[in-house]
């Protein structure tokens, strides 16, 4: 709702542009609880005021509110869906319909079936009004269930009508990956195994499972983050240049990349994948409980809250270049960063004692927070003695463009309304991603729950994750802004504690 409200503000400021909502639109909430249009509006006003305090304005809300309605039905009740269709006609509401399924995963198929049976899901094309559907992750919980969901969707909607949200794709910094790679002649010629040593992706959260313990128990970090967000980042950073900016041209290349990932079969999982589970600890100065103590979590749960793995892309561009991925909850900082590490310079001149060894060049894309891009390179420290030091060129979105970038959902909801599917995940993309993670999940789930390594909340994961990358002679890194010793390295050599769950 904050995203829709902000789109409406854009509409008020610049009506009729292709980046605002159309003049005539309505938002209808559908659920079981007893509410009137008025009580629903009051509830939403409170949320929008709270979550969009910078843009909330009483007068704009007064114009927005009459467009909001509430329709009460149980998803199981077909008559409720038919009544919704009748209401659209009786109240002369716009007939183009975008159904946004912000529902629990086990309700998705029920709602799709009802949309089809009630006639609300209209076939694509022709002269009649369009209907589209937005689905939130998770898109299934393995390859078989994702396929079943896609098949069921096909009975009601064509693929062109389906918009699968991965909110990472709505982020400016994620969209900028393609601009950085393909609108600059500087980087793309170097973007391959000849010049790059390896790529790292870090997606860390400081929060735990919050109130979603029940959900998380069934998911874990691989299903919750790797299958979707990580695969999206990985495919954008590693895909081949698309033939055009057409949504399908881009998505074709992304799928191709995911399909080029070298499978990690069950017997290789132990050597390439590390899982972890947070124990009690301290995050941002606050004592926090361990995963087993969280509400909705089984005391002997084997669900992972951290995963790190090494992947390879089997194509000509990436031959032999490892991709190190790590994601976890209750880490010391909230960071999403992709770093591209260049090959070290030869051990001559400055890369030898007494000057070296030197840190290699790193290009880091900070997806969130401190959105920006940093390039680490070597400079001479002023003075008679030759001393080499790593420094950074740093681009910051906030410094360059001022106001915070629009929220991801704002862009995604507008694109779905405009029918532009570029930033949404296609069915074959979802299935290719499951095809890669399924064997990893199966191999992990076959192991005893008690064997999962622990890490103290507030640390960068279990020591096994450091050992994974250090056995290849590399270290986990996150580039920090505006600091002389720019690279923060995480490893057993660093001053950090490890714990066991
Ligand atoms: N919450 C999060 O932090 C979060 C994060 C990431 C993704 N998501 C995704 O967002 C979606 C919604 O998650 P949520 O946690 O907000 O779910 P939720 O709290 O269960 O909300 C589901 C909504 O559907 C309604 N509903 C539930 N069962 C219904 C039924 N049988 N018939 C009609 N209406 C029904 C509920 O209202 P009534 O009780 O009034 O029916 C409620 O408005 C899911 O796809 C989830 O995966 C959520």
């Amino acid at each position: 709702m904050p995203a829709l409200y902000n789109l409406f503000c854009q509409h008020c400021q610049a009506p009729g542009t292709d980046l605002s909502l159309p003049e005539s639109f309505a938002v209808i909430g559908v659920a079981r609880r007893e509410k009137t249009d008025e009580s629903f509006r009051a509830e939403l006003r409170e949320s929008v005021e709270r979550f969009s305090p910078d843009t909330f304005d009483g007068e704009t809300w007064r114009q927005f509110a009459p467009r909001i309605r509430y329709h009460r039905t149980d998803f199981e009740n077909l008559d409720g869906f038919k009544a919704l269709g009748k209401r659209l006609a009786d109240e002369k509401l716009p007939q183009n319909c975008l159904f946004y399924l912000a529902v629990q995963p086990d309700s998705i198929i029920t709602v799709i079936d009802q949309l089809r049976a009630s006639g609300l899901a209209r076939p694509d094309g022709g002269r009649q009004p369009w209907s589209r559907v937005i689905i939130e992750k998770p898109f299934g919980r393995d390859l078989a269930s994702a396929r079943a969901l896609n098949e069921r969707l096909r009975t009601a909607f064509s693929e062109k009508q389906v918009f699968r949200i991965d909110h990472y794709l709505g982020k400016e910094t994620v969209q900028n990956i393609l601009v950085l790679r393909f609108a600059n002649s500087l980087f793309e010629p170097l973007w391959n195994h000849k010049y790059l040593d390896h790529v790292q992706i870090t997606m860390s959260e400081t929060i735990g499972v919050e109130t979603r313990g029940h959900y998380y128990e069934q998911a874990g970090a691989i299903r919750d983050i790797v299958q979707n967000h990580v695969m999206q980042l990985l495919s954008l950073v590693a895909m081949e240049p698309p033939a055009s900016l057409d949504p399908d041209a881009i998505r074709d290349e992304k799928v191709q990349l995911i399909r080029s990932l070298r499978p990690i079969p069950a017997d290789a999982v132990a050597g390439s994948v590390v899982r972890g589970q947070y124990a009690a600890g301290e995050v941002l100065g606050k004592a926090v409980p361990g995963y087993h103590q969280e509400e909705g979590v089984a005391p002997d749960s084997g669900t992972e809250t951290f995963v790190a793995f090494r992947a390879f892309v089997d194509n000509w561009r990436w031959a032999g270049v490892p991709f190190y991925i790590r994601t976890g909850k209750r880490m010391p900082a909230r960071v999403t960063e992709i770093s591209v590490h260049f090959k070290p310079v030869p051990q001559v001149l400055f890369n030898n004692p007494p000057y070296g060894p030197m840190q290699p060049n790193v290009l880091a894309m900070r997806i969130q927070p401190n959105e920006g891009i940093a390039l680490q390179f070597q400079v001479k420290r002023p003075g008679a003695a030759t001393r080499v030091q790593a420094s950074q060129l740093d681009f910051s979105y906030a410094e360059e463009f001022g106001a915070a970038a629009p929220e991801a959902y704002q862009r995604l909801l507008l694109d779905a309304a405009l029918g532009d599917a570029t930033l949404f995940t296609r069915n074959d993309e979802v299935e290719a991603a499951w095809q890669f993670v399924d064997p990893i999940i199966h191999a992990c789930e076959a192991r005893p729950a008690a064997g999962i390594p622990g890490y103290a909340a507030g640390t960068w994961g279990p020591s096994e994750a450091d050992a994974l990358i250090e056995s290849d002679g590399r270290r986990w890194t996150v580039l920090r802004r505006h600091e002389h010793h720019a690279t923060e390295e995480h490893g057993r050599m660093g001053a950090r504690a490890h714990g066991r769950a």
Side-chain angles (χ1 to χ4, degrees), residues 31-33 70 73-75 101-104 136-138 212:
R32 290 166 304 187
R33 263 166 282 185
Y70 181 78
T73 184
D74 192 299
F75 296 149
L101 274 53
V103 302
Q104 291 295 321
E136 284 270 0
K137 69 156 202 183
R212 307 184 77 222

Side-chain angles (χ1 to χ4, degrees), residues 78 108-119 152 155-156:
L78 179 58
I108 295 179
I109 286 185
T110 310
V111 176
I112 292 165
D113 288 348
Q114 300 290 38
L115 290 174
R116 187 191 55 241
S118 63
R152 203 61 158 260
T155 64

Side-chain angles (χ1 to χ4, degrees), residues 43-224:
E43 193 184 309
L44 294 181
R45 179 188 166 124
E46 208 182 295
S47 301
V48 175
E49 252 188 290
R50 184 164 150 229
F51 291 106
S52 267
D54 297 340
T55 51
F56 186 83
D57 157 66
E59 179 46 39
T60 312
W61 182 264
R62 268 186 287 284
Q63 293 174 45
F64 182 63
R67 298 159 187 269
I68 300 171
R69 284 166 178 71
Y70 181 78
H71 183 79
R72 185 172 174 233
T73 184
D74 192 299
F75 296 149
E76 300 291 338
N77 178 10
L78 179 58
D79 288 339
F81 283 78
K82 288 182 176 163
L84 174 62
K86 186 169 178 313
R87 209 173 151 186
L88 292 177
D90 291 351
E91 297 182 23
K92 299 200 168 31
L93 294 172
Q95 295 296 301
N96 289 332
C97 286
L98 184 54
F99 299 104
Y100 179 11
L101 274 53
V103 302
Q104 291 295 321
D106 52 8
S107 294
I108 295 179
I109 286 185
T110 310
V111 176
I112 292 165
D113 288 348
Q114 300 290 38
L115 290 174
R116 187 191 55 241
S118 63
L120 283 166
R122 284 182 293 263
D124 192 26
R127 299 172 72 85
Q128 55 179 342
W130 53 253
S131 65
R132 295 180 189 138
V133 62
I134 297 182
I135 305 181
E136 284 270 0
K137 69 156 202 183
F139 314 119
R141 64 184 322 275
D142 53 19
L143 180 59
S145 56
R147 277 191 179 140
L149 176 59
N150 282 336
E151 269 165 34
R152 203 61 158 260
L153 273 163
R154 265 194 291 277
T155 64
F157 298 97
S158 71
E159 182 58 26
K160 253 175 67 183
Q161 296 171 283
V162 180
F163 293 75
R164 295 175 191 81
I165 284 198
D166 184 317
H167 71 271
Y168 258 72
L169 290 178
K171 293 182 188 294
E172 287 287 344
T173 43
V174 173
Q175 292 157 33
N176 193 47
I177 297 171
L178 291 190
V179 176
L180 179 80
R181 288 190 56 195
F182 302 128
N184 294 292
S185 60
L186 181 58
F187 304 115
E188 194 52 24
L190 309 179
W191 216 257
N192 59 57
H193 68 98
K194 284 190 206 141
Y195 301 100
L196 300 183
D197 178 71
H198 73 282
V199 177
Q200 293 189 20
I201 300 179
T202 295
M203 285 184 69
S204 61
E205 296 177 290
T206 52
I207 56 170
V209 291
E210 310 288 285
T211 54
R212 307 184 77 222
H214 283 294
Y215 161 76
Y216 201 82
E217 274 285 86
Q218 306 305 315
I222 304 178
R223 285 192 175 91
D224 196 41

